[in-house]
Amino acid sequence: KGYSDSLQTELNGTKVYRLEAFRKFREILGKSWKNAVSKRFEILSSAKEYAKSIADLLANEPPSIVHAHDVPSYLLGCEISSIFDIPLIFTSHSVPTTLQGIPYSEEGLVFWKDLYKEACYDILTVGSNFALTKCLEAGAPQNKVEVIPPGVDVEKFRPGLSGEIVRLKLKLESKSALIFSPVRPDPRKG
């Protein structure tokens, strides 16, 4: 399907295009990374083909930057970045162990590491020093990686609830901030 008006939004005066996922990636790989290296050419050819169709749709109003969040969108982002000669920011939400619930085989790790070494991104952002270490170990160029820890602006996001019942149950001071974060707490995340 690609781009449509329903996938265009505006954020702080900037047009944002949200594109359909690069589904062919999962179709080619199936449920295993075992064939990732041997299917690399097919995966990259498919990304090029999809990127060309997106570029045609955006030709009248090309983007100024590409921001990708996972390997399929990264592959697509590399192509879009090249077509329009614009920067690519790649935010890696996982490190070379699993991707979208698929444990990496040795061949999958080779595929992943090749992506980091090739570095078609201008900047790779990660959420923790642990992720930084893993990405550097995988071959990401140090001068292209930035750690941007996830966070919440507690001055801006204040729903107005007192939270006193929760603080009492948790035996917290009355002025302690309460933040709900539906993630697995892990010290390595920073």
Side-chain angles (χ1 to χ4, degrees), residues 21-22 38 54 61 90-91 108 148:
F22 177 32
S38 61
I54 291 168
E61 195 172 5
F90 176 38
T91 299
I148 303 176

Side-chain angles (χ1 to χ4, degrees), residues 27 30 64 110 167-168:
E27 290 172 22
S64 302
V110 170
R167 286 187 187 86
L168 287 171

Side-chain angles (χ1 to χ4, degrees), residues 120-150:
C120 81
Y121 47 81
D122 293 274
I123 295 289
L124 167 64
T125 65
V126 296
S128 69
N129 286 326
F130 173 80
L132 170 67
T133 300
K134 290 298 177 187
C135 290
L136 292 175
E137 286 173 2
Q142 189 163 7
N143 66 329
K144 288 190 169 192
V145 186
E146 295 288 334
V147 177
I148 303 176

Side-chain angles (χ1 to χ4, degrees), residues 3 16 22 29 35 48 65 84 87 101 117 119 141 144 165-166 182:
Y3 167 76
V16 177
F22 177 32
L29 270 186
N35 300 317
K48 283 180 188 285
I65 193 165
F84 289 109
K117 286 178 196 169
K144 288 190 169 192
I165 295 171
V166 174

Side-chain angles (χ1 to χ4, degrees), residues 25-114:
F25 180 81
R26 291 285 285 194
E27 290 172 22
I28 294 168
L29 270 186
K31 295 185 178 184
S32 170
W33 280 94
K34 286 183 181 176
N35 300 317
V37 173
S38 61
K39 292 186 175 185
R40 181 182 173 90
F41 179 76
E42 184 181 357
I43 290 167
L44 296 177
S45 294
S46 181
K48 283 180 188 285
E49 183 180 312
Y50 187 42
K52 286 178 186 173
S53 68
I54 291 168
D56 289 344
L57 292 167
L58 299 176
N60 291 332
E61 195 172 5
S64 302
I65 193 165
V66 178
H67 188 195
H69 286 265
D70 56 19
V71 171
S73 64
Y74 168 72
L75 295 172
L76 190 58
C78 289
E79 296 302 322
I80 296 290
S81 172
S82 175
I83 290 168
F84 289 109
D85 192 26
I86 56 176
L88 169 63
I89 297 172
F90 176 38
T91 299
S92 180
H93 294 291
S94 58
V95 293
T97 54
T98 64
L99 174 69
Q100 298 173 347
I102 304 172
Y104 282 108
S105 63
E106 195 57 40
E107 192 171 356
L109 285 170
V110 170
F111 183 86
W112 180 273
K113 288 178 180 182
D114 283 350

